[in-house]
C-alpha cells in the first residue's frame, strides 16, 4: 500500500501592507540628522582648533618679547618680513613699542578668519595701563607666523 500524499494545505500569505512604512522613514531621517550633526561638529572642532592654535602662537610671540628673547620672536615673523628686515631692525622696531616688552598679559577678545588670515584683536596689560593690540597671522610650516602687528594704534 502506498502512502497517500498529504492533501495540500493552502498557505495564506499575509495581506500586503498599504501606506508608508513610518518606522523606516523615521529611522532614515534620524540617521541623516545624526550624520549632519557629526559633520557640523567636526567643522566647528577644526575651526576652533585653528583659532586656538593661532592664539597660542601669538601668546608665545608676546611671551618671548616679554622675556627679552627677540631672536625667538623674530623667528616667528613671516618669512617675507624676515627677508626684508634683519634681526637688528626688528629689535629697533620692538624698542619703539615698549608695551611689547613690558606687558604682563595679553587678552585677545576678537578673532576673525578670512581666507586663511587670522586677525586677532585684544588688549595688552602693561604697568602703565591697557594697550590695544592687533595681530595678523597665517599658517606657516609648523605653526602660525606673524604677518602684521599693531600696538597702541601704531
Amino acid at each position: 500500500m502506498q502512502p497517500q500524499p498529504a492533501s495540500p494545505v493552502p498557505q495564506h500569505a499575509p495581506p500586503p501592507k498599504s501606506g508608508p512604512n513610518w518606522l523606516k522613514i523615521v529611522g532614515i531621517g534620524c540617521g541623516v540628522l545624526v550624520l549632519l550633526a557629526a559633520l557640523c561638529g567636526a567643522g566647528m572642532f577644526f575651526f576652533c582648533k585653528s583659532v586656538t592654535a593661532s592664539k597660542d602662537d601669538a601668546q608665545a610671540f608676546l611671551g618671548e618679547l616679554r622675556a627679552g628673547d627677540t631672536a625667538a620672536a623674530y623667528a616667528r615673523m613671516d618669512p617675507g618680513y624676515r627677508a626684508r628686515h634683519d634681526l637688528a631692525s626688528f629689535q629697533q622696531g620692538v624698542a619703539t613699542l615698549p608695551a611689547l616688552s613690558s606687558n604682563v598679559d595679553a587678552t585677545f577678545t576678537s578673532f576673525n578668519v578670512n581666507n586663511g588670515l587670522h586677525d586677532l584683536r585684544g588688549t595688552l596689560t602693561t604697568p602703565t595701563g591697557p594697550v590695544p593690540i592687533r595681530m595678523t597671522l597665517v599658517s606657516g610650516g609648523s605653526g602660525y607666523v606673524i604677518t602684521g602687528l599693531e600696538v597702541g594704534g601704531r
Side-chain angles (χ1 to χ4, degrees):
M1 185 167 202
Q2 291 213 349
Q4 292 283 343
S7 65
V9 176
Q11 298 289 332
H12 295 289
K17 294 183 179 180
S18 63
N21 185 346
W22 289 107
L23 186 59
K24 189 175 188 180
I25 292 171
V26 169
I28 290 172
C30 287
V32 168
L33 287 176
V34 167
L35 180 62
L36 288 174
L39 289 173
C40 288
M44 290 301 293
F45 171 77
F46 287 112
F47 175 76
C48 290
K49 184 177 178 183
S50 167
V51 170
T52 302
S54 63
K55 180 182 163 200
D56 291 345
D57 285 347
Q59 290 283 4
F61 172 80
L62 294 170
E64 291 161 353
L65 291 176
R66 188 171 33 251
D69 191 357
T70 54
Y74 175 73
R76 291 183 183 274
M77 296 301 291
D78 179 61
Y81 174 87
R82 287 182 287 161
R84 294 186 310 273
H85 302 88
D86 63 0
L87 177 59
S89 66
F90 175 75
Q91 290 169 328
Q92 289 173 346
V94 169
T96 64
L97 301 168
L100 286 175
S101 56
S102 67
N103 75 84
V104 294
D105 188 30
T107 304
F108 293 104
T109 55
S110 173
F111 309 97
N112 186 17
V113 180
N114 188 10
N115 292 329
L117 182 69
H118 294 233
D119 183 16
L120 309 177
R121 296 172 191 237
T123 304
L124 289 176
T125 305
T126 69
T128 58
V131 177
I133 184 169
R134 177 182 182 196
M135 295 179 76
T136 53
L137 301 92
V138 295
S139 181
S142 63
Y144 286 83
V145 294
I146 288 87
T147 58
L149 178 64
E150 186 179 303
V151 179
R154 302 183 354 181

